[in-house]
Amino acid sequence: MTDTIQLNLARCGDRGVIVQVGDHCHHDEHAIELERRLLELGFVEGARVEMLHEGLFGRDPIAMKVDDMRVALRRHEAASLTVRLERVIAA
């Protein structure tokens, strides 16, 4: 079973593949800058992600594994990433 969600909605242990970076709204300079920063950090389409940890207060920031590295983001930044989750179905 697969779901496509914004990364900020993922929970610890969720794994998936990035299918979209940014919301492609190119009239907002802040959104363009955030998309550029995410791409520089390795959040590119096709990269594998795994949620590792959530902060205690408000579940912010979140820590995740992106391919071979670990990165922390605020939830509002993670909302710019669309991920296709791979959920394991118990047998």
Side-chain angles (χ1 to χ4, degrees):
M1 178 178 179
T2 61
D3 295 314
T4 302
I5 64 168
Q6 291 177 316
L7 186 57
N8 65 319
L9 302 175
R11 296 291 195 169
C12 284
D14 284 347
R15 297 177 183 197
V17 176
I18 296 173
V19 294
Q20 182 178 333
V21 179
D23 56 10
H24 302 295
C25 180
H26 294 291
H27 63 273
D28 181 5
E29 289 185 33
H30 181 265
I32 294 169
E33 179 64 19
L34 177 58
E35 183 177 338
R36 184 189 61 77
R37 276 189 355 152
L38 291 170
L39 290 167
E40 288 176 353
L41 286 171
F43 291 95
V44 295
E45 292 177 10
R48 299 192 57 75
V49 294
E50 177 183 355
M51 287 287 294
L52 300 174
H53 180 74
E54 299 174 319
L56 291 176
F57 302 105
R59 298 176 32 231
D60 202 25
I62 54 177
M64 66 204 71
K65 184 176 178 183
V66 182
D67 288 335
D68 293 340
M69 64 181 171
R70 286 167 174 71
V71 179
L73 290 178
R74 298 262 179 220
R75 286 203 176 268
H76 73 275
E77 296 168 331
S80 297
L81 298 161
T82 304
V83 177
R84 186 179 64 245
L85 293 180
E86 300 165 352
R87 300 197 190 268
V88 178
I89 300 174

